[in-house]
Amino acid sequence: MNSKVPVAVLISGRGSNLQALIEACRDPEFPAEIVKVISNEPDALGIVRAEAEGIPTVVVSHKGRSRDVFEEILLAHLSDVSFVCLAGFMRVLSPTFLAAFPERILNVHPALLPAFPGLHAQRQALQAGVTQTGCTVHIVDSGVDTGPILCQGSLAIHTDETEDQLSERIRKLEHVLLPMSLRWLAEGRVFIEGHRAQVVLRDGEKRWWVETD
Ligand code: GRF
């Protein structure tokens, strides 16, 4: 009997976070299973990654469709899932879509929110001259990168680091934090109180993963 919680992953591109989720789900003890990968971009590398694993994939282009119609199609493909992970999914979801998965949609963002929401967060951090940045996994609400925070990973920005180099190092944090957060959610250990997420941690488990290189 499969007691894993069914999850869909929404992507738009490279899918390295999807790959991290796929690898986490291989562990028989991991509480979730990816039952579907949906991309709004037909050429997303993540689609290839999912197909290589035998995970059902769907491409739903946002182009030439209203957001309502786009989301209706997405929702029709999500009728059999309990949670949704946004892993580099580059569309903003409407309150109608969110209402179908209340407090059950995760997103990973490449900055220490609430700093640098929106696009090009790594570039924003470099341009601002901050010395620390990182990534955030949060529950999706109707704002852009504003939902309750589950965990964050931080790193020190290197001197003369390029946007690509920084993005690559941030991804390494994301690949740990996103599966960890999905585990918490699938195990029913996340409780939203107001705008804050409380996570019931096990003995020795860390909520904050701090990288110091
Ligand atoms: C990640 O940096 C994530 O934080 C952002 O989009 C990027 C997706 O990368 N939301 P990938 O497609 O998972 O490699």
Side-chain angles (χ1 to χ4, degrees):
M1 196 189 81
N2 186 357
S3 58
K4 290 192 173 208
V5 174
V7 171
V9 183
L10 271 54
I11 60 166
S12 297
R14 174 166 138 165
S16 69
N17 280 286
L18 165 66
Q19 190 67 46
L21 291 168
I22 287 172
E23 279 156 28
C25 290
R26 279 199 195 116
D27 178 351
E29 300 298 314
F30 195 81
E33 177 188 9
I34 303 170
V35 296
K36 197 164 291 177
V37 171
I38 304 181
S39 174
N40 65 312
E41 295 289 352
D43 299 329
L45 175 58
I47 288 284
V48 178
R49 296 180 194 267
E51 283 171 353
E53 292 296 315
I55 299 170
T57 61
V58 186
V59 174
V60 181
S61 177
H62 61 283
K63 292 185 186 147
R65 293 189 165 118
S66 67
R67 184 161 78 167
D68 284 357
V69 170
F70 173 63
E71 291 187 349
E72 261 172 39
I73 300 170
L74 288 183
L75 286 172
H77 286 292
L78 294 172
S79 58
D80 52 352
V81 309
S82 300
F83 297 99
V84 175
C85 273
L86 308 184
F89 182 66
M90 301 303 286
R91 310 301 300 172
V92 175
L93 296 167
S94 74
T96 308
F97 185 99
L98 301 182
F101 292 93
E103 297 170 2
R104 288 188 287 140
I105 306 177
L106 276 183
N107 182 44
V108 58
H109 181 77
L112 294 173
L113 293 170
F116 313 129
L119 293 175
H120 308 301
Q122 303 92 329
R123 193 181 307 168
Q124 293 184 53
L126 289 170
Q127 285 173 349
V130 295
T131 58
Q132 299 272 328
T133 188
C135 69
T136 303
V137 181
H138 65 94
I139 301 283
V140 177
D141 70 5
S142 57
V144 175
D145 303 321
T146 53
I149 291 171
L150 294 190
C151 60
Q152 294 183 302
S154 67
L155 48 72
I157 296 180
H158 293 162
T159 313
D160 297 330
E161 187 159 25
T162 65
E163 187 179 340
D164 282 350
Q165 289 167 335
L166 178 60
S167 302
E168 215 40 57
R169 288 201 302 132
I170 290 174
R171 274 200 177 89
K172 288 186 187 160
L173 291 176
E174 294 179 345
H175 297 167
V176 176
L177 266 59
L178 184 58
M180 180 172 80
S181 303
L182 177 58
R183 172 188 285 278
W184 292 339
L185 209 55
E187 290 178 347
R189 296 198 276 139
V190 175
F191 298 91
I192 308 296
E193 293 165 9
H195 187 256
R196 294 189 53 169
Q198 299 291 351
V199 180
V200 177
L201 295 178
R202 300 223 165 95
D203 283 352
E205 192 179 24
K206 285 181 186 167
R207 180 170 188 201
W208 305 91
W209 180 285
V210 180
E211 188 80 357
T212 53
D213 68 335

